[in-house]
C-alpha cells in the first residue's frame, strides 16, 4: 500500500519536479495545487500532502506529457511477451500506477489465472464464503453470468486507477472463446461500455498465445514487448 502523506521533498523526487520544496508550498498557497496540511512527523510538524492529492499534483508537474493521453481518445496499452518470468506483470503494474499518479484515469485488465496483477492491485482480500475462493467476479462473469462490466470493476488506493479482477474462471472463458462470435473482438466489445471513462487501459497478458491474448493485441493501440539484455 502507498504511504498516506508526502512531504514537498518526496514529491519532487516522485515526479522529478524541477522546483524547490518552497516553490511547491507557494504553489499550494496560491491554489495551483491542493493545499498542504500540517501533519506531525516524529517530534516536529511538517506541511504534507495526502495520497489523494498525488494525481492532481502529478498532472501539473509530473514527467508524463498529458497531451499523449487526451480525454475522449482512450489508449489501449497491451504488455505481451511469450515467455514467463520476464517481469511482465510487474512492469504492467508499475506502468498503470505511474499513469494514474499523473492524473491519467487508468483501467488495468489482467488475463492470467494466477491473478498476479490482481494480487498486486488488491492485496488484502477477505474470503467470507467458499464461493469467494474462486475470486472476485471478472471477465467471465460479465459475459456468461449477466454482470455488467461496471459492476466488476474495482478501485485501488489511487483514485485514478481501477482494475478488472482476474479469477480462476479465466480458464473456462478461454475454453469458451471458440463459441464466441467474432472472438478476436471479444475484449473491445466487453470493455466498450466503460472506455469513455478512461484515458488509458493497460492490459497484462498471459505468456501463451491464446484467444484472449489475440483479442487484446487486436484491441491495442500500443504494444509493449518487455525484453532484457543479458551479458554473456
Amino acid at each position: 500500500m502507498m504511504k498516506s502523506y508526502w512531504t514537498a521533498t518526496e514529491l519532487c523526487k516522485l515526479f522529478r519536479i524541477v522546483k524547490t520544496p518552497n516553490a511547491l508550498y507557494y504553489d499550494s498557497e496560491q491554489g495551483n495545487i491542493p493545499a498542504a496540511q500540517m501533519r506531525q512527523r516524529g517530534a516536529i510538524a511538517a506541511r504534507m500532502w495526502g495520497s489523494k492529492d498525488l494525481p492532481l499534483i502529478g498532472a501539473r508537474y509530473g514527467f508524463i506529457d498529458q497531451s499523449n493521453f487526451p480525454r475522449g481518445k482512450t489508449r489501449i496499452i497491451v504488455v505481451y511477451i511469450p515467455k514467463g518470468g520476464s517481469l511482465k506483470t510487474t512492469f504492467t503494474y508499475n506502468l498503470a500506477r505511474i499513469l494514474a499518479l499523473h492524473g491519467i484515469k487508468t483501467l488495468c485488465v489482467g488475463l492470467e489465472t494466477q491473478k498476479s496483477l490482481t494480487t498486486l492491485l488488491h492485496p488484502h482480500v477477505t474470503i467470507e464464503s467458499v464461493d469467494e475462493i474462486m475470486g472476485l467476479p471478472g471477465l467471465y462473469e460479465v459475459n456468461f453470468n449477466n454482470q455488467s462490466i461496471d459492476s466488476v470493476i474495482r478501485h485501488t488506493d489511487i483514485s485514478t486507477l481501477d482494475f478488472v479482477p482476474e479469477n480462476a474462471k479465466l480458464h473456462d472463458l478461454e475454453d469458451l472463446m471458440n463459441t464466441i462470435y467474432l472472438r478476436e473482438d471479444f475484449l473491445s466489445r466487453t470493455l466498450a461500455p466503460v472506455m469513455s471513462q478512461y484515458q488509458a487501459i493497460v492490459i497484462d497478458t498471459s505468456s501463451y498465445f491464446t484467444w484472449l491474448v489475440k483479442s487484446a493485441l487486436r484491441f491495442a493501440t500500443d504494444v509493449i514487448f518487455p525484453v532484457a539484455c543479458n551479458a554473456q
Side-chain angles (χ1 to χ4, degrees), residues 144-201:
F144 294 100
N145 284 0
N146 296 317
Q147 291 192 232
S148 69
I149 185 66
D150 282 290
S151 69
V152 305
I153 288 175
R154 295 292 188 272
H155 306 301
T156 69
D157 57 336
I158 304 175
S159 61
T160 45
L161 179 59
D162 298 336
F163 70 100
V164 176
E166 301 157 293
N167 61 32
K169 286 281 190 176
L170 283 172
H171 268 311
D172 298 332
L173 177 57
E174 187 59 52
D175 289 341
L176 291 167
M177 286 292 285
N178 286 327
T179 69
I180 296 175
Y181 178 66
L182 292 177
R183 53 189 175 270
E184 62 272 20
D185 293 324
F186 168 78
L187 274 178
S188 61
R189 288 197 308 270
T190 301
L191 297 174
V194 297
M195 275 190 63
S196 63
Q197 301 175 30
Y198 298 96
Q199 295 163 265
I201 297 177

Side-chain angles (χ1 to χ4, degrees), residues 51-134:
S51 58
K52 63 179 175 53
D53 299 324
L54 296 185
L56 292 172
I57 297 171
R60 186 172 181 88
Y61 297 124
F63 52 85
I64 291 181
D65 186 348
Q66 299 288 315
S67 66
N68 289 324
F69 295 88
R71 295 186 183 278
K73 190 175 181 181
T74 309
R75 288 182 67 171
I76 314 300
I77 304 171
V78 174
V79 183
Y80 173 70
I81 184 171
K83 179 184 181 300
S86 58
L87 299 179
K88 172 177 55 61
T89 298
T90 303
F91 178 87
T92 304
Y93 169 74
N94 285 310
L95 173 62
R97 286 182 70 88
I98 289 169
L99 293 176
L101 285 170
H102 281 75
I104 296 165
K105 186 66 174 175
T106 303
L107 177 67
C108 249
V109 181
L111 301 180
E112 289 196 289
T113 54
Q114 293 177 335
K115 302 183 287 187
S116 300
L117 183 62
T118 299
T119 301
L120 289 170
L121 291 165
H122 194 60
H124 304 296
V125 179
T126 301
I127 303 298
E128 297 180 350
S129 71
V130 174
D131 292 336
E132 292 178 8
I133 293 176
M134 295 300 289

